[in-house]
Amino acid sequence: MQAALAAARQAAGRGEVPVGAVITGPDGALLAVAGNETEARQDSTAHAELLVIAAAQARRGSKYLEDCDLWVTLEPCAMCAGAIALARIRRLYFGAADQKGGAVEHGPRLFSQPTIHHRPEIYGGLSEAEASQLLQDFFAARRG
């Protein structure tokens, strides 16, 4: 999670919402790291999760990441949760809960739906205080 938090801090430094994500392989080795890039790319889909999934898939030469784990600083939205299912991520670890935009433990709870074809193991609340503080500080500075 520390690498994901570092990616989130880097994203904040670029003026992006501070969300970072990493994918680790079956041996725990880092396969890919990404932070949000929605502002830089002017692309509303350039979330850290989608970018890191694409990078890991390219590195492995496979659309499936069945033996890989995703670590992300914020509970994934519906778009990202759908991508996690399609990539067949083994485990999802996330930091801060997202009561407004989250889709794992909040909102549509995508992985609880009977129509979802793949459900990762889910572990929330990792480094939650630090991940939440990054977001709070970022938005406070924007409002200030």
Side-chain angles (χ1 to χ4, degrees):
M1 185 58 82
Q2 291 308 308
L5 287 163
R9 285 189 289 275
Q10 290 173 351
R14 297 188 308 270
E16 302 281 354
V17 173
V19 176
V22 300
I23 291 185
T24 56
D27 59 356
L30 203 64
L31 291 177
V33 179
N36 273 358
E37 294 186 18
T38 59
E39 297 300 324
R41 294 181 186 217
Q42 287 298 293
D43 177 357
S44 58
T45 69
H47 289 197
E49 298 96 311
L50 294 185
L51 299 174
V52 81
I53 288 170
Q57 289 168 328
R59 182 167 180 187
R60 296 193 80 200
S62 173
K63 65 181 180 177
Y64 297 124
L65 302 170
E66 295 166 319
D67 57 354
C68 296
D69 301 332
L70 171 63
W71 303 75
V72 62
T73 58
L74 182 65
E75 177 183 354
C77 69
M79 173 181 67
C80 293
I84 290 164
L86 291 171
R88 299 182 185 171
I89 298 287
R90 174 177 60 180
R91 292 184 197 107
L92 165 64
Y93 299 92
F94 69 88
D98 186 352
Q99 295 180 6
K100 276 179 77 174
V104 177
E105 292 183 347
H106 297 88
R109 296 186 169 137
L110 193 69
F111 299 120
S112 298
Q113 300 303 315
T115 55
I116 197 76
H117 76 281
H118 173 79
R119 292 171 182 82
E121 293 176 33
I122 300 166
Y123 303 91
L126 284 79
S127 300
E128 183 173 18
E130 189 174 353
S132 293
Q133 194 64 55
L134 279 170
L135 289 159
Q136 289 171 10
D137 292 348
F138 177 81
F139 288 112
R142 293 267 186 214
R143 289 192 285 294

mmCIF file of all heavy atoms in Angstrom, residues 52-69:
data_model
loop_
_atom_site.group_PDB
_atom_site.id
_atom_site.type_symbol
_atom_site.label_atom_id
_atom_site.label_comp_id
_atom_site.label_asym_id
_atom_site.label_seq_id
_atom_site.Cartn_x
_atom_site.Cartn_y
_atom_site.Cartn_z
ATOM 1 N N VAL A 52 -3.283 1.339 -14.167
ATOM 2 C CA VAL A 52 -2.402 0.299 -13.647
ATOM 3 C C VAL A 52 -2.786 -1.076 -14.192
ATOM 4 O O VAL A 52 -1.917 -1.908 -14.460
ATOM 5 C CB VAL A 52 -2.345 0.331 -12.096
ATOM 6 C CG1 VAL A 52 -3.525 -0.364 -11.449
ATOM 7 C CG2 VAL A 52 -1.044 -0.255 -11.590
ATOM 8 N N ILE A 53 -4.067 -1.323 -14.382
ATOM 9 C CA ILE A 53 -4.498 -2.593 -14.976
ATOM 10 C C ILE A 53 -3.964 -2.707 -16.401
ATOM 11 O O ILE A 53 -3.399 -3.736 -16.784
ATOM 12 C CB ILE A 53 -6.038 -2.741 -14.941
ATOM 13 C CG1 ILE A 53 -6.516 -3.001 -13.504
ATOM 14 C CG2 ILE A 53 -6.513 -3.857 -15.870
ATOM 15 C CD1 ILE A 53 -8.030 -2.921 -13.314
ATOM 16 N N ALA A 54 -4.114 -1.648 -17.190
ATOM 17 C CA ALA A 54 -3.618 -1.673 -18.575
ATOM 18 C C ALA A 54 -2.109 -1.893 -18.617
ATOM 19 O O ALA A 54 -1.609 -2.664 -19.453
ATOM 20 C CB ALA A 54 -3.994 -0.376 -19.293
ATOM 21 N N ALA A 55 -1.374 -1.238 -17.717
ATOM 22 C CA ALA A 55 0.084 -1.394 -17.695
ATOM 23 C C ALA A 55 0.482 -2.822 -17.320
ATOM 24 O O ALA A 55 1.387 -3.402 -17.928
ATOM 25 C CB ALA A 55 0.698 -0.389 -16.731
ATOM 26 N N ALA A 56 -0.194 -3.400 -16.342
ATOM 27 C CA ALA A 56 0.118 -4.775 -15.933
ATOM 28 C C ALA A 56 -0.242 -5.773 -17.031
ATOM 29 O O ALA A 56 0.501 -6.728 -17.282
ATOM 30 C CB ALA A 56 -0.606 -5.112 -14.632
ATOM 31 N N GLN A 57 -1.365 -5.552 -17.695
ATOM 32 C CA GLN A 57 -1.750 -6.435 -18.791
ATOM 33 C C GLN A 57 -0.721 -6.369 -19.920
ATOM 34 O O GLN A 57 -0.337 -7.399 -20.476
ATOM 35 C CB GLN A 57 -3.140 -6.067 -19.310
ATOM 36 C CG GLN A 57 -4.244 -6.419 -18.344
ATOM 37 C CD GLN A 57 -5.584 -5.809 -18.713
ATOM 38 O OE1 GLN A 57 -5.658 -4.717 -19.281
ATOM 39 N NE2 GLN A 57 -6.656 -6.499 -18.369
ATOM 40 N N ALA A 58 -0.275 -5.174 -20.250
ATOM 41 C CA ALA A 58 0.729 -5.009 -21.301
ATOM 42 C C ALA A 58 2.031 -5.691 -20.900
ATOM 43 O O ALA A 58 2.665 -6.377 -21.728
ATOM 44 C CB ALA A 58 0.961 -3.525 -21.584
ATOM 45 N N ARG A 59 2.423 -5.529 -19.676
ATOM 46 C CA ARG A 59 3.679 -6.128 -19.209
ATOM 47 C C ARG A 59 3.621 -7.643 -19.253
ATOM 48 O O ARG A 59 4.593 -8.301 -19.606
ATOM 49 C CB ARG A 59 3.990 -5.649 -17.802
ATOM 50 C CG ARG A 59 5.291 -6.194 -17.280
ATOM 51 C CD ARG A 59 5.744 -5.502 -16.043
ATOM 52 N NE ARG A 59 7.000 -6.091 -15.615
ATOM 53 C CZ ARG A 59 7.593 -5.798 -14.500
ATOM 54 N NH1 ARG A 59 7.097 -4.881 -13.701
ATOM 55 N NH2 ARG A 59 8.713 -6.394 -14.161
ATOM 56 N N ARG A 60 2.469 -8.196 -18.901
ATOM 57 C CA ARG A 60 2.327 -9.652 -18.875
ATOM 58 C C ARG A 60 1.873 -10.231 -20.210
ATOM 59 O O ARG A 60 1.927 -11.436 -20.392
ATOM 60 C CB ARG A 60 1.339 -10.060 -17.795
ATOM 61 C CG ARG A 60 1.892 -9.676 -16.418
ATOM 62 C CD ARG A 60 1.172 -10.276 -15.301
ATOM 63 N NE ARG A 60 1.573 -11.645 -15.063
ATOM 64 C CZ ARG A 60 0.837 -12.510 -14.384
ATOM 65 N NH1 ARG A 60 -0.339 -12.155 -13.924
ATOM 66 N NH2 ARG A 60 1.268 -13.726 -14.165
ATOM 67 N N GLY A 61 1.395 -9.389 -21.099
ATOM 68 C CA GLY A 61 0.920 -9.889 -22.388
ATOM 69 C C GLY A 61 -0.355 -10.700 -22.272
ATOM 70 O O GLY A 61 -0.583 -11.630 -23.036
ATOM 71 N N SER A 62 -1.200 -10.317 -21.318
ATOM 72 C CA SER A 62 -2.446 -11.047 -21.087
ATOM 73 C C SER A 62 -3.509 -10.092 -20.584
ATOM 74 O O SER A 62 -3.222 -9.196 -19.782
ATOM 75 C CB SER A 62 -2.233 -12.151 -20.050
ATOM 76 O OG SER A 62 -3.462 -12.766 -19.706
ATOM 77 N N LYS A 63 -4.748 -10.301 -21.010
ATOM 78 C CA LYS A 63 -5.846 -9.463 -20.511
ATOM 79 C C LYS A 63 -6.308 -9.916 -19.135
ATOM 80 O O LYS A 63 -7.029 -9.194 -18.459
ATOM 81 C CB LYS A 63 -7.013 -9.453 -21.493
ATOM 82 C CG LYS A 63 -7.701 -10.783 -21.677
ATOM 83 C CD LYS A 63 -8.823 -10.669 -22.696
ATOM 84 C CE LYS A 63 -9.522 -12.000 -22.898
ATOM 85 N NZ LYS A 63 -10.630 -11.865 -23.822
ATOM 86 N N TYR A 64 -5.887 -11.090 -18.706
ATOM 87 C CA TYR A 64 -6.282 -11.605 -17.402
ATOM 88 C C TYR A 64 -5.126 -11.523 -16.410
ATOM 89 O O TYR A 64 -3.986 -11.838 -16.734
ATOM 90 C CB TYR A 64 -6.769 -13.050 -17.502
ATOM 91 C CG TYR A 64 -8.001 -13.185 -18.363
ATOM 92 C CD1 TYR A 64 -8.022 -14.046 -19.444
ATOM 93 C CD2 TYR A 64 -9.146 -12.432 -18.106
ATOM 94 C CE1 TYR A 64 -9.153 -14.158 -20.242
ATOM 95 C CE2 TYR A 64 -10.277 -12.537 -18.901
ATOM 96 C CZ TYR A 64 -10.269 -13.410 -19.961
ATOM 97 O OH TYR A 64 -11.384 -13.520 -20.751
ATOM 98 N N LEU A 65 -5.458 -11.098 -15.205
ATOM 99 C CA LEU A 65 -4.477 -10.949 -14.133
ATOM 100 C C LEU A 65 -4.937 -11.775 -12.927
ATOM 101 O O LEU A 65 -4.976 -11.303 -11.798
ATOM 102 C CB LEU A 65 -4.330 -9.469 -13.771
ATOM 103 C CG LEU A 65 -3.916 -8.542 -14.915
ATOM 104 C CD1 LEU A 65 -4.037 -7.082 -14.511
ATOM 105 C CD2 LEU A 65 -2.502 -8.869 -15.381
ATOM 106 N N GLU A 66 -5.287 -13.030 -13.197
ATOM 107 C CA GLU A 66 -5.910 -13.905 -12.195
ATOM 108 C C GLU A 66 -5.062 -14.164 -10.965
ATOM 109 O O GLU A 66 -5.594 -14.464 -9.902
ATOM 110 C CB GLU A 66 -6.284 -15.242 -12.840
ATOM 111 C CG GLU A 66 -7.349 -15.087 -13.897
ATOM 112 C CD GLU A 66 -7.500 -16.315 -14.778
ATOM 113 O OE1 GLU A 66 -6.467 -16.906 -15.160
ATOM 114 O OE2 GLU A 66 -8.644 -16.666 -15.082
ATOM 115 N N ASP A 67 -3.757 -14.067 -11.098
ATOM 116 C CA ASP A 67 -2.877 -14.325 -9.961
ATOM 117 C C ASP A 67 -2.258 -13.036 -9.423
ATOM 118 O O ASP A 67 -1.249 -13.061 -8.727
ATOM 119 C CB ASP A 67 -1.790 -15.330 -10.339
ATOM 120 C CG ASP A 67 -0.952 -14.888 -11.530
ATOM 121 O OD1 ASP A 67 -1.260 -13.850 -12.150
ATOM 122 O OD2 ASP A 67 0.033 -15.592 -11.846
ATOM 123 N N CYS A 68 -2.886 -11.911 -9.741
ATOM 124 C CA CYS A 68 -2.367 -10.599 -9.345
ATOM 125 C C CYS A 68 -3.293 -9.901 -8.358
ATOM 126 O O CYS A 68 -4.493 -10.160 -8.320
ATOM 127 C CB CYS A 68 -2.196 -9.708 -10.580
ATOM 128 S SG CYS A 68 -0.966 -10.329 -11.734
ATOM 129 N N ASP A 69 -2.709 -8.995 -7.591
ATOM 130 C CA ASP A 69 -3.448 -8.232 -6.596
ATOM 131 C C ASP A 69 -3.365 -6.745 -6.911
ATOM 132 O O ASP A 69 -2.320 -6.250 -7.343
ATOM 133 C CB ASP A 69 -2.874 -8.478 -5.196
ATOM 134 C CG ASP A 69 -2.917 -9.950 -4.795
ATOM 135 O OD1 ASP A 69 -3.799 -10.680 -5.289
ATOM 136 O OD2 ASP A 69 -2.072 -10.360 -3.988
#
